Amino acid sequence: AQKITQTQPGMFVQEKEAVTLDCTYDTSDPSYGLFWYKQPSSGEMIFLIYQGSYDQQNATEGRYSLNFQKARKSANLVISASQLGDSAMYFCAMREQGYSTLTFGKGTMLLVSP
Amino acid sequence: DTEVTQTPKHLVMGMTNKKSLKCEQHMGHRAMYWYKQKAKKPPELMFVYSYEKLSINESVPSRFSPECPNSSLLNLHLHALQPEDSALYLCASSPRQTGNSYNEQFFGPGTRLTVL
């Protein structure tokens, strides 16, 4: 079974609109971390935001916020006021306490149009 | 300095060539990683080094040979590769391999490898 599921292969949004990228996860570990990375066409994986399983509040970093619903095991990324430079592949990833490595979802390609 | 650097940015090699990819970080991180990424796919973990020792080898073919000469440097030696090995090779580092669930991985820009 997949540990990280991103159901949207591609998303389109107009500049200045908000967009939500979906991510659900599967773990029985009570301690885990959820990450979102952005990968532009240049290739570099850029860390955006982190949510820990014990964090009481949803994480926010500038225009990025994470809608963390623990009971539903979802960790959706919300980008407010999209910009053309937001066009990229976005990966959701999880790190469980007992493991040393990241498990990535398949990614969502976001295209922002003028 | 919160940067992971990788050289070269692009590499084209024949199946009989020997080449090396280089990765460097000066953040004092003690865990370093090699990933392989095919187009429009997530990164796949290849190797993990922890305190300069090989910790994880994800059943990678022996034509890929990692090396960690010191805590800042990670190499990937390539020999007798196949065309299907063409991919983006990403290096990453984190403060340590295990620990709390944060332990963010910082990625380098990658090396785009083409095997002819």
Side-chain angles (χ1 to χ4, degrees), chain B residues 2-114:
Chain B
T2 56
E3 192 181 41
V4 176
T5 59
Q6 288 187 245
T7 54
K9 284 183 73 81
H10 300 274
L11 179 61
V12 180
M13 60 186 291
M15 289 190 284
T16 57
N17 292 157
K18 282 186 181 181
K19 297 285 184 184
S20 296
L21 309 185
K22 179 179 169 180
C23 172
E24 201 161 2
Q25 57 88 15
H26 295 286
M27 294 178 278
H29 289 173
R30 304 314 299 270
M32 296 185 77
Y33 310 76
W34 279 115
Y35 289 85
K36 173 183 176 180
Q37 187 180 25
K38 299 287 250 184
K40 299 195 189 319
K41 298 287 187 184
E44 297 173 9
L45 184 67
M46 299 174 72
F47 303 104
V48 180
Y49 272 82
S50 178
Y51 290 86
E52 295 102 71
K53 290 193 183 337
L54 184 64
S55 171
I56 294 176
N57 176 344
E58 293 284 0
S59 303
V60 179
S62 60
R63 56 186 184 269
F64 295 91
S65 174
E67 179 197 18
C68 190
N70 59 58
S71 60
S72 301
L73 194 54
L74 185 67
N75 298 321
L76 186 62
H77 303 297
L78 314 172
H79 174 54
L81 293 194
Q82 304 295 311
E84 59 264 29
D85 296 323
S86 298
L88 178 69
Y89 288 83
L90 291 163
C91 174
S93 71
S94 63
R96 59 208 166 279
Q97 182 182 351
T98 56
N100 65 36
S101 56
Y102 180 59
N103 201 24
E104 176 198 340
Q105 288 188 22
F106 292 82
F107 284 82
T111 294
R112 288 195 188 275
L113 174 67
T114 303

